[in-house]
């Protein structure tokens, strides 16, 4: 299990997302249940229920960290596959549909494999995230009912009659790059092949030495290529997604390379100073374009770089990182400047 580190509770809740607003219309029914909140939990709606009757299972470490101060580590699970102990704590699942259908299938089928068939499933999500897929996905295995619609969201209930077969082996995928095998799982960035921005970074990768961090590692491609080219580096790879961390472990093992794989929200769980940080940072939060996480990474990177340490960051050319890099590091170098992507390098003075 990925154990979230405690973070100070601000006592404030995040604003409710549209799916939670739809669930809120059914609060009277739900408040009598033992609830398991699962899936893409982008808000703190679960805090409207008794913590003694609420548990969380998520693939996202940052969501687990946010809810940990309120629920405690026994009730917040952040693992690739759900643990059997979850079966003891819930009679009702509230599943938040993520934007990726394959990720939803892995999540839901792995839960169906361990929860009793009597479990009452509520599945909610935005129409633009593909919540309609609930019907073809689940109707072969039980009764699916559309319960409510509002705010461009749908709420379904599902009662399983015959759980679908589940084997994690069926969810693995892989692609090759320069003699290396990159192992991937549903929901991971660039599941089917190397991203063009990451490729640019790897083509221009300067010589590396010392402690190297692959920040937001996805399936681990940047880190393993770096390790293959410069075997003497001490490699750390970090991400917030449980499947990304599992895929990175698998990618390292498959290529017989070593590296330390850490669940971390930005730098939250990273220790010590790095000589080089390489990253193709996120620019979406859910479906929204967002540069917030990357802006925070740039600001914090200074504190995690050794003297003369370097940050190498590749990003879509339209994203406004040059000014922020200059404000934080004094200046920046453009190692590559293409119409679609820019590769920046900054050095800690
Ligand atoms: C654009 S992808 C790059 C993945 C990989 N490095 C590659 O080149 O294929 C960005 C990665 O950052 C991760 N990520 C998003 N928010 C994060 C956060 N707050 N802290 C750490 N990683 C995060 C995502 O899960 C995703 O794997």
């Amino acid at each position: 299990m990925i154990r979230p580190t405690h973070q100070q509770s601000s006592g404030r809740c995040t604003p409710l997302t549209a799916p939670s607003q739809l669930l809120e219309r059914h609060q009277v029914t739900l408040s009598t249940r033992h609830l398991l909140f699962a899936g893409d939990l982008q808000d703190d709606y679960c805090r409207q229920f008794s913590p003694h009757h609420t548990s969380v299972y998520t693939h996202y470490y940052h969501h687990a960290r946010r809810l940990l101060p309120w629920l405690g580590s026994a009730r917040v699970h952040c693992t690739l596959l759900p643990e059997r102990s979850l079966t003891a704590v819930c009679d009702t699942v509230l599943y938040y549909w993520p934007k990726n259908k394959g990720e939803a299938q892995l999540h839901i089928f792995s839960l169906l494999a361990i929860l009793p068939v009597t479990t009452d499933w509520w599945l909610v999500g935005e129409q633009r995230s593909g919540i309609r897929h609930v019907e073809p996905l689940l109707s072969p295995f039980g009764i699916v009912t559309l319960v409510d619609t509002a705010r461009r969201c749908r709420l379904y209930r599902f009662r399983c009659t015959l759980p679908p077969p589940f084997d994690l082996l069926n969810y693995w995928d892989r692609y090759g790059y320069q003699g290396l095998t990159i192992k991937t799982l549903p929901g991971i960035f660039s599941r089917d092949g190397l991203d063009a921005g990451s490729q640019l970074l790897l083509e221009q990768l300067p010589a590396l030495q010392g402690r190297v961090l692959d920040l937001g590692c996805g399936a681990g491609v940047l880190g393993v290529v770096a390790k293959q080219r410069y075997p003497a580096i001490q490699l750390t790879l970090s991400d917030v997604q449980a499947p990304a961390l599992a895929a990175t472990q698998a990618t390292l093992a498959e290529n017989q390379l070593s590296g330390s794989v850490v669940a971390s929200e930005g730098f939250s769980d990273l220790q010590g100073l790095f000589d080089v940080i390489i990253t193709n940072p996120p620019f979406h939060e859910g479906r929204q374009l967002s540069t917030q996480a990357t802006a925070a990474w740039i600001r914090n990177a200074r504190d995690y770089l050794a003297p003369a340490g370097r940050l190498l960051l590749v990003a879509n050319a339209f994203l406004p990182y040059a000014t922020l890099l200059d404000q934080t590091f004094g200046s920046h170098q453009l190692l590559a400047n293409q119409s679609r992507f820019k590769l920046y390098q900054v050095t800690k003075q």
Side-chain angles (χ1 to χ4, degrees), residues 14-15 17 19-20 23 36-47 54-67 70-71 75-78 93-99 103 107 122 124 285:
T14 52
T17 56
S20 290
L23 281 173
L36 175 65
F37 282 77
D40 193 8
L41 307 172
Q42 294 196 22
D43 64 22
D44 293 352
Y45 176 55
C46 62
R47 290 176 62 160
T54 304
S55 299
V56 163
Y57 168 59
T58 175
H59 273 175
Y60 295 95
Y61 182 67
H62 50 317
H63 296 164
R65 278 187 87 223
R66 198 182 67 240
L67 294 167
W70 178 65
L71 275 177
R75 289 187 171 270
V76 177
H77 296 230
C78 183
V93 174
L94 298 186
Y95 184 78
Y96 285 70
W97 189 267
K99 63 180 179 182
E103 180 184 354
H107 229 171
W122 298 55
V124 68
E285 179 64 40

Side-chain angles (χ1 to χ4, degrees), residues 189-190 198 214 216-218 221-222 239-241 264-266 280-282 297:
F189 174 78
S190 177
S198 304
D214 177 354
C217 58
V221 62
L222 300 181
D239 206 283
V240 278
Q241 263 190 299
S264 182
E265 179 178 9
N280 178 357
W297 290 10

Side-chain angles (χ1 to χ4, degrees), residues 26 30 40 108 146 211 319 321 325:
H26 303 267
L30 293 174
D40 193 8
I108 294 169
L146 180 63
R211 287 194 79 203
L319 294 170
Y321 296 134
L325 288 165

Side-chain angles (χ1 to χ4, degrees), residues 55-285:
S55 299
V56 163
Y57 168 59
T58 175
H59 273 175
Y60 295 95
Y61 182 67
H62 50 317
H63 296 164
R65 278 187 87 223
R66 198 182 67 240
L67 294 167
L68 185 78
W70 178 65
L71 275 177
S73 57
R75 289 187 171 270
V76 177
H77 296 230
C78 183
T79 45
L80 175 60
L81 297 180
E83 294 178 4
R84 288 211 168 261
S85 58
L86 286 171
T87 55
V89 297
C90 79
D91 52 37
T92 303
V93 174
L94 298 186
Y95 184 78
Y96 285 70
W97 189 267
K99 63 180 179 182
N100 185 290
K101 185 178 147 202
E103 180 184 354
Q105 179 172 332
L106 167 57
H107 229 171
I108 294 169
F109 283 18
S110 62
L111 274 168
L112 284 169
I114 63 159
L115 292 173
V117 284
T118 50
T119 306
D120 189 11
W121 281 75
W122 298 55
L123 302 105
V124 68
E126 294 187 71
Q127 300 199 19
R128 63 180 180 169
S129 294
I131 181 70
R132 279 169 187 274
H133 291 302
V134 163
E135 294 175 53
L137 183 71
L138 292 180
S139 49
F141 309 106
I143 300 156
V144 179
T145 319
L146 180 63
V147 175
D148 200 358
T149 57
R151 299 189 174 276
R152 299 189 177 141
C153 294
R154 288 175 162 232
L155 174 61
Y156 289 95
R157 277 175 85 173
F158 170 63
R159 186 58 76 116
C160 186
T161 44
L162 179 71
F166 177 77
D167 185 347
L168 183 62
L169 285 177
N170 297 331
Y171 290 81
W172 284 101
D173 224 329
R174 55 177 63 208
Y175 68 87
Y177 180 71
Q178 295 191 342
L180 291 164
T181 300
I182 312 303
K183 295 199 69 175
T184 67
L185 283 166
I188 297 183
F189 174 78
S190 177
R191 183 178 188 202
D192 303 322
L194 186 63
D195 170 67
S198 304
Q199 183 172 353
L200 178 68
L201 191 153
L202 291 174
E203 282 167 4
Q204 303 293 326
L205 193 67
L208 303 176
Q209 56 187 20
R211 287 194 79 203
V212 174
L213 169 65
D214 177 354
L215 182 60
C217 58
V221 62
L222 300 181
V224 295
V225 173
K227 183 75 181 172
Q228 182 202 40
R229 290 192 198 161
Y230 305 104
I233 63 172
Q234 293 159 260
L235 178 63
T236 302
L237 310 99
S238 66
D239 206 283
V240 278
Q241 263 190 299
L245 297 165
T248 296
Q249 297 274 20
T251 299
L252 285 165
E254 182 79 19
N255 298 289
Q256 295 171 6
L257 293 169
S258 62
S260 156
V261 181
V262 181
S264 182
E265 179 178 9
F267 291 94
S268 68
D269 290 59
L270 295 168
Q271 309 290 332
L273 298 179
F274 296 93
D275 297 289
V276 182
I277 299 172
I278 52 178
T279 187
N280 178 357
F283 57 98
H284 284 106
E285 179 64 40

